[in-house]
mmCIF file of all heavy atoms in Angstrom:
data_model
loop_
_atom_site.group_PDB
_atom_site.id
_atom_site.type_symbol
_atom_site.label_atom_id
_atom_site.label_comp_id
_atom_site.label_asym_id
_atom_site.label_seq_id
_atom_site.Cartn_x
_atom_site.Cartn_y
_atom_site.Cartn_z
ATOM 1 N N LEU A 198 0.820 -1.210 0.000
ATOM 2 C CA LEU A 198 0.000 0.000 0.000
ATOM 3 C C LEU A 198 0.857 1.264 0.000
ATOM 4 O O LEU A 198 0.496 2.270 -0.612
ATOM 5 C CB LEU A 198 -0.922 -0.005 1.227
ATOM 6 C CG LEU A 198 -2.074 0.996 1.223
ATOM 7 C CD1 LEU A 198 -3.055 0.678 0.108
ATOM 8 C CD2 LEU A 198 -2.787 0.994 2.568
ATOM 9 N N GLY A 199 1.989 1.228 0.673
ATOM 10 C CA GLY A 199 2.850 2.399 0.740
ATOM 11 C C GLY A 199 3.436 2.802 -0.597
ATOM 12 O O GLY A 199 3.907 3.932 -0.750
ATOM 13 N N GLU A 200 3.415 1.908 -1.572
ATOM 14 C CA GLU A 200 3.950 2.206 -2.902
ATOM 15 C C GLU A 200 2.917 2.804 -3.839
ATOM 16 O O GLU A 200 3.253 3.247 -4.936
ATOM 17 C CB GLU A 200 4.519 0.922 -3.522
ATOM 18 C CG GLU A 200 5.636 0.287 -2.710
ATOM 19 C CD GLU A 200 6.085 -1.050 -3.277
ATOM 20 O OE1 GLU A 200 5.648 -1.369 -4.410
ATOM 21 O OE2 GLU A 200 6.840 -1.769 -2.603
ATOM 22 N N ALA A 201 1.644 2.805 -3.450
ATOM 23 C CA ALA A 201 0.587 3.332 -4.320
ATOM 24 C C ALA A 201 0.743 4.842 -4.480
ATOM 25 O O ALA A 201 0.989 5.556 -3.502
ATOM 26 C CB ALA A 201 -0.776 2.996 -3.734
ATOM 27 N N PRO A 202 0.628 5.381 -5.715
ATOM 28 C CA PRO A 202 0.826 6.814 -5.935
ATOM 29 C C PRO A 202 -0.208 7.688 -5.238
ATOM 30 O O PRO A 202 0.051 8.875 -5.006
ATOM 31 C CB PRO A 202 0.734 6.954 -7.460
ATOM 32 C CG PRO A 202 -0.008 5.741 -7.919
ATOM 33 C CD PRO A 202 0.354 4.650 -6.969
ATOM 34 N N SER A 203 -1.358 7.127 -4.885
ATOM 35 C CA SER A 203 -2.405 7.918 -4.233
ATOM 36 C C SER A 203 -2.267 7.941 -2.715
ATOM 37 O O SER A 203 -3.074 8.550 -2.026
ATOM 38 C CB SER A 203 -3.783 7.353 -4.598
ATOM 39 O OG SER A 203 -3.868 5.977 -4.247
ATOM 40 N N VAL A 204 -1.223 7.306 -2.191
ATOM 41 C CA VAL A 204 -1.046 7.194 -0.747
ATOM 42 C C VAL A 204 0.159 8.021 -0.306
ATOM 43 O O VAL A 204 1.247 7.915 -0.867
ATOM 44 C CB VAL A 204 -0.854 5.720 -0.321
ATOM 45 C CG1 VAL A 204 -0.483 5.620 1.164
ATOM 46 C CG2 VAL A 204 -2.137 4.932 -0.588
ATOM 47 N N GLU A 205 -0.041 8.842 0.717
ATOM 48 C CA GLU A 205 1.031 9.608 1.343
ATOM 49 C C GLU A 205 1.168 9.149 2.787
ATOM 50 O O GLU A 205 0.166 8.933 3.468
ATOM 51 C CB GLU A 205 0.713 11.106 1.327
ATOM 52 C CG GLU A 205 1.712 11.964 2.093
ATOM 53 C CD GLU A 205 1.257 13.388 2.293
ATOM 54 O OE1 GLU A 205 0.210 13.766 1.719
ATOM 55 O OE2 GLU A 205 1.932 14.141 3.033
ATOM 56 N N HIS A 206 2.391 8.982 3.266
ATOM 57 C CA HIS A 206 2.572 8.635 4.673
ATOM 58 C C HIS A 206 3.772 9.382 5.248
ATOM 59 O O HIS A 206 4.745 9.659 4.545
ATOM 60 C CB HIS A 206 2.714 7.124 4.871
ATOM 61 C CG HIS A 206 3.863 6.487 4.157
ATOM 62 N ND1 HIS A 206 5.103 6.310 4.724
ATOM 63 C CD2 HIS A 206 3.947 5.954 2.906
ATOM 64 C CE1 HIS A 206 5.903 5.705 3.876
ATOM 65 N NE2 HIS A 206 5.228 5.476 2.758
ATOM 66 N N PHE A 207 3.657 9.730 6.521
ATOM 67 C CA PHE A 207 4.713 10.481 7.193
ATOM 68 C C PHE A 207 4.625 10.205 8.689
ATOM 69 O O PHE A 207 3.593 9.771 9.205
ATOM 70 C CB PHE A 207 4.584 11.985 6.922
ATOM 71 C CG PHE A 207 3.256 12.579 7.318
ATOM 72 C CD1 PHE A 207 3.064 13.139 8.576
ATOM 73 C CD2 PHE A 207 2.189 12.574 6.425
ATOM 74 C CE1 PHE A 207 1.846 13.683 8.945
ATOM 75 C CE2 PHE A 207 0.961 13.122 6.783
ATOM 76 C CZ PHE A 207 0.788 13.683 8.049
ATOM 77 N N GLU A 208 5.725 10.472 9.397
ATOM 78 C CA GLU A 208 5.786 10.239 10.838
ATOM 79 C C GLU A 208 5.666 11.557 11.593
ATOM 80 O O GLU A 208 6.033 12.619 11.076
ATOM 81 C CB GLU A 208 7.096 9.544 11.216
ATOM 82 C CG GLU A 208 7.227 8.145 10.669
ATOM 83 C CD GLU A 208 8.502 7.458 11.128
ATOM 84 O OE1 GLU A 208 9.105 7.933 12.119
ATOM 85 O OE2 GLU A 208 8.898 6.472 10.501
ATOM 86 N N PHE A 209 5.175 11.468 12.830
ATOM 87 C CA PHE A 209 5.055 12.676 13.644
ATOM 88 C C PHE A 209 4.953 12.285 15.115
ATOM 89 O O PHE A 209 4.694 11.135 15.462
ATOM 90 C CB PHE A 209 3.819 13.485 13.228
ATOM 91 C CG PHE A 209 2.510 12.805 13.513
ATOM 92 C CD1 PHE A 209 1.827 13.020 14.709
ATOM 93 C CD2 PHE A 209 1.941 11.944 12.584
ATOM 94 C CE1 PHE A 209 0.625 12.400 14.983
ATOM 95 C CE2 PHE A 209 0.732 11.312 12.840
ATOM 96 C CZ PHE A 209 0.072 11.548 14.045
ATOM 97 N N GLU A 210 5.162 13.264 15.972
ATOM 98 C CA GLU A 210 4.937 13.116 17.403
ATOM 99 C C GLU A 210 3.657 13.814 17.851
ATOM 100 O O GLU A 210 3.010 13.384 18.798
ATOM 101 C CB GLU A 210 6.131 13.675 18.194
ATOM 102 C CG GLU A 210 7.433 12.920 17.978
ATOM 103 C CD GLU A 210 8.571 13.502 18.787
ATOM 104 O OE1 GLU A 210 8.291 14.339 19.679
ATOM 105 O OE2 GLU A 210 9.731 13.141 18.534
ATOM 106 N N HIS A 211 3.328 14.918 17.168
ATOM 107 C CA HIS A 211 2.147 15.703 17.543
ATOM 108 C C HIS A 211 1.552 16.302 16.284
ATOM 109 O O HIS A 211 2.270 16.885 15.467
ATOM 110 C CB HIS A 211 2.555 16.810 18.526
ATOM 111 C CG HIS A 211 1.400 17.595 19.062
ATOM 112 N ND1 HIS A 211 0.598 17.146 20.085
ATOM 113 C CD2 HIS A 211 0.904 18.810 18.707
ATOM 114 C CE1 HIS A 211 -0.333 18.050 20.353
ATOM 115 N NE2 HIS A 211 -0.175 19.076 19.530
ATOM 116 N N LEU A 212 0.246 16.156 16.117
ATOM 117 C CA LEU A 212 -0.430 16.617 14.908
ATOM 118 C C LEU A 212 -1.799 17.173 15.291
ATOM 119 O O LEU A 212 -2.540 16.538 16.049
ATOM 120 C CB LEU A 212 -0.600 15.450 13.924
ATOM 121 C CG LEU A 212 -1.020 15.785 12.490
ATOM 122 C CD1 LEU A 212 0.155 16.433 11.747
ATOM 123 C CD2 LEU A 212 -1.454 14.516 11.765
ATOM 124 N N VAL A 213 -2.126 18.359 14.787
ATOM 125 C CA VAL A 213 -3.439 18.961 15.023
ATOM 126 C C VAL A 213 -4.220 18.911 13.710
ATOM 127 O O VAL A 213 -3.728 19.352 12.667
ATOM 128 C CB VAL A 213 -3.313 20.411 15.518
ATOM 129 C CG1 VAL A 213 -4.699 21.053 15.656
ATOM 130 C CG2 VAL A 213 -2.575 20.453 16.849
ATOM 131 N N VAL A 214 -5.443 18.354 13.769
ATOM 132 C CA VAL A 214 -6.281 18.199 12.582
ATOM 133 C C VAL A 214 -7.629 18.861 12.842
ATOM 134 O O VAL A 214 -8.305 18.541 13.819
ATOM 135 C CB VAL A 214 -6.490 16.707 12.239
ATOM 136 C CG1 VAL A 214 -7.410 16.563 11.032
ATOM 137 C CG2 VAL A 214 -5.159 16.022 11.980
ATOM 138 N N ARG A 215 -8.010 19.785 11.953
ATOM 139 C CA ARG A 215 -9.298 20.461 12.068
ATOM 140 C C ARG A 215 -10.104 20.176 10.796
ATOM 141 O O ARG A 215 -9.810 20.735 9.735
ATOM 142 C CB ARG A 215 -9.109 21.968 12.237
ATOM 143 C CG ARG A 215 -8.232 22.366 13.424
ATOM 144 C CD ARG A 215 -8.048 23.869 13.487
ATOM 145 N NE ARG A 215 -7.007 24.240 14.436
ATOM 146 C CZ ARG A 215 -7.212 24.459 15.730
ATOM 147 N NH1 ARG A 215 -8.443 24.322 16.212
ATOM 148 N NH2 ARG A 215 -6.224 24.792 16.532
ATOM 149 N N PRO A 216 -11.123 19.322 10.884
ATOM 150 C CA PRO A 216 -11.950 19.063 9.703
ATOM 151 C C PRO A 216 -12.913 20.206 9.432
ATOM 152 O O PRO A 216 -13.428 20.839 10.363
ATOM 153 C CB PRO A 216 -12.707 17.782 10.088
ATOM 154 C CG PRO A 216 -12.734 17.775 11.576
ATOM 155 C CD PRO A 216 -11.491 18.481 12.038
ATOM 156 N N THR A 217 -13.149 20.486 8.147
ATOM 157 C CA THR A 217 -14.158 21.462 7.750
ATOM 158 C C THR A 217 -15.501 20.767 7.679
ATOM 159 O O THR A 217 -15.671 19.789 6.939
ATOM 160 C CB THR A 217 -13.812 22.073 6.380
ATOM 161 O OG1 THR A 217 -12.542 22.721 6.469
ATOM 162 C CG2 THR A 217 -14.862 23.075 5.952
ATOM 163 N N LEU A 218 -16.465 21.243 8.458
ATOM 164 C CA LEU A 218 -17.763 20.585 8.553
ATOM 165 C C LEU A 218 -18.797 21.333 7.729
ATOM 166 O O LEU A 218 -18.869 22.568 7.765
ATOM 167 C CB LEU A 218 -18.223 20.505 10.012
ATOM 168 C CG LEU A 218 -17.291 19.773 10.976
ATOM 169 C CD1 LEU A 218 -17.858 19.830 12.392
ATOM 170 C CD2 LEU A 218 -17.091 18.341 10.541
ATOM 171 N N THR A 219 -19.610 20.586 6.988
ATOM 172 C CA THR A 219 -20.722 21.184 6.270
ATOM 173 C C THR A 219 -21.838 21.505 7.264
ATOM 174 O O THR A 219 -21.912 20.899 8.343
ATOM 175 C CB THR A 219 -21.243 20.228 5.191
ATOM 176 O OG1 THR A 219 -21.605 18.985 5.811
ATOM 177 C CG2 THR A 219 -20.175 19.979 4.140
ATOM 178 N N PRO A 220 -22.712 22.450 6.952
ATOM 179 C CA PRO A 220 -23.793 22.817 7.875
ATOM 180 C C PRO A 220 -24.629 21.594 8.274
ATOM 181 O O PRO A 220 -25.007 20.780 7.432
ATOM 182 C CB PRO A 220 -24.617 23.819 7.059
ATOM 183 C CG PRO A 220 -23.639 24.412 6.101
ATOM 184 C CD PRO A 220 -22.709 23.297 5.745
ATOM 185 N N GLY A 221 -24.887 21.483 9.553
ATOM 186 C CA GLY A 221 -25.708 20.379 10.052
ATOM 187 C C GLY A 221 -24.913 19.172 10.521
ATOM 188 O O GLY A 221 -25.464 18.319 11.226
ATOM 189 N N ARG A 222 -23.647 19.080 10.157
ATOM 190 C CA ARG A 222 -22.846 17.933 10.595
ATOM 191 C C ARG A 222 -22.294 18.189 11.997
ATOM 192 O O ARG A 222 -21.789 19.268 12.301
ATOM 193 C CB ARG A 222 -21.675 17.675 9.632
ATOM 194 C CG ARG A 222 -22.118 17.151 8.271
ATOM 195 C CD ARG A 222 -20.917 16.734 7.454
ATOM 196 N NE ARG A 222 -20.273 15.569 8.014
ATOM 197 C CZ ARG A 222 -19.106 15.087 7.561
ATOM 198 N NH1 ARG A 222 -18.478 15.703 6.575
ATOM 199 N NH2 ARG A 222 -18.574 14.019 8.101
ATOM 200 N N ARG A 223 -22.386 17.169 12.852
ATOM 201 C CA ARG A 223 -21.955 17.294 14.246
ATOM 202 C C ARG A 223 -20.483 16.940 14.436
ATOM 203 O O ARG A 223 -19.942 17.047 15.526
ATOM 204 C CB ARG A 223 -22.816 16.403 15.141
ATOM 205 C CG ARG A 223 -24.279 16.802 15.177
ATOM 206 C CD ARG A 223 -25.095 15.851 16.041
ATOM 207 N NE ARG A 223 -25.177 14.528 15.453
ATOM 208 C CZ ARG A 223 -24.542 13.465 15.910
ATOM 209 N NH1 ARG A 223 -23.732 13.580 16.952
ATOM 210 N NH2 ARG A 223 -24.689 12.294 15.327
ATOM 211 N N GLY A 224 -19.840 16.506 13.389
ATOM 212 C CA GLY A 224 -18.449 16.091 13.481
ATOM 213 C C GLY A 224 -18.175 15.024 12.453
ATOM 214 O O GLY A 224 -19.047 14.643 11.667
ATOM 215 N N VAL A 225 -16.955 14.534 12.418
ATOM 216 C CA VAL A 225 -16.595 13.440 11.519
ATOM 217 C C VAL A 225 -16.417 12.168 12.333
ATOM 218 O O VAL A 225 -16.085 12.210 13.520
ATOM 219 C CB VAL A 225 -15.298 13.754 10.740
ATOM 220 C CG1 VAL A 225 -15.494 14.965 9.845
ATOM 221 C CG2 VAL A 225 -14.138 13.978 11.690
ATOM 222 N N LYS A 226 -16.654 11.048 11.698
ATOM 223 C CA LYS A 226 -16.486 9.770 12.377
ATOM 224 C C LYS A 226 -15.005 9.480 12.582
ATOM 225 O O LYS A 226 -14.195 9.666 11.677
ATOM 226 C CB LYS A 226 -17.126 8.649 11.562
ATOM 227 C CG LYS A 226 -18.638 8.729 11.475
ATOM 228 C CD LYS A 226 -19.208 7.611 10.617
ATOM 229 C CE LYS A 226 -20.728 7.719 10.531
ATOM 230 N NZ LYS A 226 -21.295 6.670 9.639
ATOM 231 N N VAL A 227 -14.668 9.041 13.771
ATOM 232 C CA VAL A 227 -13.299 8.678 14.113
ATOM 233 C C VAL A 227 -13.318 7.288 14.723
ATOM 234 O O VAL A 227 -14.132 7.002 15.611
ATOM 235 C CB VAL A 227 -12.672 9.672 15.106
ATOM 236 C CG1 VAL A 227 -11.233 9.273 15.429
ATOM 237 C CG2 VAL A 227 -12.715 11.093 14.558
ATOM 238 N N ALA A 228 -12.461 6.408 14.248
ATOM 239 C CA ALA A 228 -12.365 5.043 14.775
ATOM 240 C C ALA A 228 -11.122 4.919 15.641
ATOM 241 O O ALA A 228 -10.035 5.330 15.233
ATOM 242 C CB ALA A 228 -12.307 4.025 13.635
ATOM 243 N N TYR A 229 -11.296 4.375 16.854
ATOM 244 C CA TYR A 229 -10.195 4.140 17.780
ATOM 245 C C TYR A 229 -10.109 2.639 18.023
ATOM 246 O O TYR A 229 -10.975 2.068 18.693
ATOM 247 C CB TYR A 229 -10.436 4.822 19.130
ATOM 248 C CG TYR A 229 -10.837 6.274 19.082
ATOM 249 C CD1 TYR A 229 -12.146 6.648 18.810
ATOM 250 C CD2 TYR A 229 -9.902 7.281 19.330
ATOM 251 C CE1 TYR A 229 -12.523 7.973 18.792
ATOM 252 C CE2 TYR A 229 -10.278 8.614 19.317
ATOM 253 C CZ TYR A 229 -11.590 8.958 19.037
ATOM 254 O OH TYR A 229 -11.962 10.277 19.020
ATOM 255 N N ASP A 230 -9.107 1.971 17.466
ATOM 256 C CA ASP A 230 -8.980 0.513 17.629
ATOM 257 C C ASP A 230 -10.287 -0.202 17.316
ATOM 258 O O ASP A 230 -10.697 -1.145 18.002
ATOM 259 C CB ASP A 230 -8.526 0.174 19.054
ATOM 260 C CG ASP A 230 -7.111 0.634 19.347
ATOM 261 O OD1 ASP A 230 -6.331 0.772 18.395
ATOM 262 O OD2 ASP A 230 -6.795 0.863 20.523
ATOM 263 N N GLY A 231 -10.978 0.268 16.271
ATOM 264 C CA GLY A 231 -12.198 -0.401 15.822
ATOM 265 C C GLY A 231 -13.486 0.147 16.390
ATOM 266 O O GLY A 231 -14.564 -0.228 15.928
ATOM 267 N N GLU A 232 -13.415 1.042 17.381
ATOM 268 C CA GLU A 232 -14.617 1.640 17.962
ATOM 269 C C GLU A 232 -14.843 3.016 17.340
ATOM 270 O O GLU A 232 -13.934 3.848 17.330
ATOM 271 C CB GLU A 232 -14.467 1.765 19.479
ATOM 272 C CG GLU A 232 -14.270 0.423 20.190
ATOM 273 C CD GLU A 232 -15.468 -0.479 20.056
ATOM 274 O OE1 GLU A 232 -16.577 -0.041 20.405
ATOM 275 O OE2 GLU A 232 -15.302 -1.630 19.591
ATOM 276 N N VAL A 233 -16.062 3.273 16.837
ATOM 277 C CA VAL A 233 -16.341 4.483 16.080
ATOM 278 C C VAL A 233 -17.055 5.518 16.948
ATOM 279 O O VAL A 233 -18.010 5.200 17.660
ATOM 280 C CB VAL A 233 -17.192 4.171 14.832
ATOM 281 C CG1 VAL A 233 -17.472 5.447 14.036
ATOM 282 C CG2 VAL A 233 -16.480 3.153 13.945
ATOM 283 N N ALA A 234 -16.576 6.783 16.895
ATOM 284 C CA ALA A 234 -17.199 7.905 17.597
ATOM 285 C C ALA A 234 -17.147 9.105 16.661
ATOM 286 O O ALA A 234 -16.774 8.995 15.493
ATOM 287 C CB ALA A 234 -16.479 8.185 18.910
ATOM 288 N N ARG A 235 -17.521 10.290 17.162
ATOM 289 C CA ARG A 235 -17.485 11.503 16.357
ATOM 290 C C ARG A 235 -16.605 12.551 17.027
ATOM 291 O O ARG A 235 -16.512 12.603 18.248
ATOM 292 C CB ARG A 235 -18.891 12.075 16.132
ATOM 293 C CG ARG A 235 -19.687 11.321 15.086
ATOM 294 C CD ARG A 235 -20.986 12.020 14.749
ATOM 295 N NE ARG A 235 -21.700 11.322 13.696
ATOM 296 C CZ ARG A 235 -21.529 11.528 12.399
ATOM 297 N NH1 ARG A 235 -20.664 12.457 11.999
ATOM 298 N NH2 ARG A 235 -22.211 10.850 11.507
ATOM 299 N N SER A 236 -15.975 13.406 16.201
ATOM 300 C CA SER A 236 -15.118 14.456 16.735
ATOM 301 C C SER A 236 -15.138 15.650 15.796
ATOM 302 O O SER A 236 -15.294 15.498 14.585
ATOM 303 C CB SER A 236 -13.684 13.941 16.902
ATOM 304 O OG SER A 236 -12.829 14.949 17.383
ATOM 305 N N THR A 237 -15.001 16.842 16.362
ATOM 306 C CA THR A 237 -14.917 18.062 15.559
ATOM 307 C C THR A 237 -13.507 18.635 15.526
ATOM 308 O O THR A 237 -13.229 19.577 14.802
ATOM 309 C CB THR A 237 -15.868 19.140 16.119
ATOM 310 O OG1 THR A 237 -15.513 19.407 17.482
ATOM 311 C CG2 THR A 237 -17.308 18.683 16.046
ATOM 312 N N PHE A 238 -12.628 18.067 16.339
ATOM 313 C CA PHE A 238 -11.253 18.563 16.454
ATOM 314 C C PHE A 238 -10.398 17.377 16.895
ATOM 315 O O PHE A 238 -10.839 16.543 17.690
ATOM 316 C CB PHE A 238 -11.181 19.679 17.496
ATOM 317 C CG PHE A 238 -9.777 20.073 17.888
ATOM 318 C CD1 PHE A 238 -9.046 20.948 17.114
ATOM 319 C CD2 PHE A 238 -9.205 19.556 19.042
ATOM 320 C CE1 PHE A 238 -7.765 21.318 17.480
ATOM 321 C CE2 PHE A 238 -7.919 19.917 19.413
ATOM 322 C CZ PHE A 238 -7.200 20.800 18.627
ATOM 323 N N ALA A 239 -9.204 17.269 16.372
ATOM 324 C CA ALA A 239 -8.360 16.132 16.723
ATOM 325 C C ALA A 239 -6.932 16.583 16.948
ATOM 326 O O ALA A 239 -6.317 17.193 16.072
ATOM 327 C CB ALA A 239 -8.398 15.064 15.629
ATOM 328 N N CYS A 240 -6.420 16.308 18.138
ATOM 329 C CA CYS A 240 -5.025 16.560 18.466
ATOM 330 C C CYS A 240 -4.375 15.203 18.689
ATOM 331 O O CYS A 240 -4.628 14.534 19.690
ATOM 332 C CB CYS A 240 -4.931 17.425 19.722
ATOM 333 S SG CYS A 240 -3.237 17.788 20.218
ATOM 334 N N TRP A 241 -3.575 14.741 17.726
ATOM 335 C CA TRP A 241 -2.982 13.408 17.756
ATOM 336 C C TRP A 241 -1.584 13.508 18.363
ATOM 337 O O TRP A 241 -0.791 14.361 17.994
ATOM 338 C CB TRP A 241 -2.859 12.847 16.342
ATOM 339 C CG TRP A 241 -4.057 12.965 15.476
ATOM 340 C CD1 TRP A 241 -4.651 14.112 15.041
ATOM 341 C CD2 TRP A 241 -4.816 11.900 14.910
ATOM 342 N NE1 TRP A 241 -5.724 13.824 14.249
ATOM 343 C CE2 TRP A 241 -5.859 12.485 14.139
ATOM 344 C CE3 TRP A 241 -4.719 10.500 14.966
ATOM 345 C CZ2 TRP A 241 -6.779 11.720 13.440
ATOM 346 C CZ3 TRP A 241 -5.647 9.747 14.263
ATOM 347 C CH2 TRP A 241 -6.665 10.339 13.523
ATOM 348 N N THR A 242 -1.270 12.602 19.266
ATOM 349 C CA THR A 242 0.044 12.634 19.904
ATOM 350 C C THR A 242 0.413 11.253 20.377
ATOM 351 O O THR A 242 -0.429 10.359 20.503
ATOM 352 C CB THR A 242 0.050 13.638 21.084
ATOM 353 O OG1 THR A 242 1.388 13.798 21.550
ATOM 354 C CG2 THR A 242 -0.812 13.149 22.222
ATOM 355 N N SER A 243 1.704 11.035 20.648
ATOM 356 C CA SER A 243 2.184 9.769 21.208
ATOM 357 C C SER A 243 2.477 9.946 22.693
ATOM 358 O O SER A 243 2.854 11.023 23.143
ATOM 359 C CB SER A 243 3.447 9.300 20.485
ATOM 360 O OG SER A 243 4.489 10.252 20.624
ATOM 361 N N ARG A 244 2.274 8.855 23.458
ATOM 362 C CA ARG A 244 2.495 8.877 24.900
ATOM 363 C C ARG A 244 3.136 7.567 25.316
ATOM 364 O O ARG A 244 3.378 6.691 24.503
ATOM 365 C CB ARG A 244 1.151 9.053 25.632
ATOM 366 C CG ARG A 244 0.410 10.340 25.276
ATOM 367 C CD ARG A 244 -0.925 10.420 26.019
ATOM 368 N NE ARG A 244 -1.605 11.672 25.718
ATOM 369 C CZ ARG A 244 -2.801 11.992 26.208
ATOM 370 N NH1 ARG A 244 -3.415 11.153 27.023
ATOM 371 N NH2 ARG A 244 -3.358 13.131 25.902
#
């Protein structure tokens, strides 16, 4: 999969992600180890 031209991958320690939401949407679906929830803001980090 890492060789596919449509795939980008990179490493990080801390990443802030802000999705743009269309009117009426409460957030985007986020899966954590297979469990799905919703979020409007995501601060990804390692611990």
Side-chain angles (χ1 to χ4, degrees):
L198 194 65
E200 300 174 10
S203 56
V204 172
E205 174 191 353
H206 60 92
F207 57 92
E208 294 183 18
F209 66 92
E210 295 180 12
H211 185 80
L212 192 72
V213 176
V214 178
R215 304 178 192 272
T217 300
L218 302 178
T219 56
R222 290 188 68 187
R223 296 178 292 108
V225 297
K226 293 178 181 177
V227 181
Y229 310 80
D230 293 335
E232 299 296 306
V233 180
R235 283 188 177 272
S236 178
T237 58
F238 169 82
C240 180
W241 313 63
T242 189
S243 61
R244 300 179 178 179

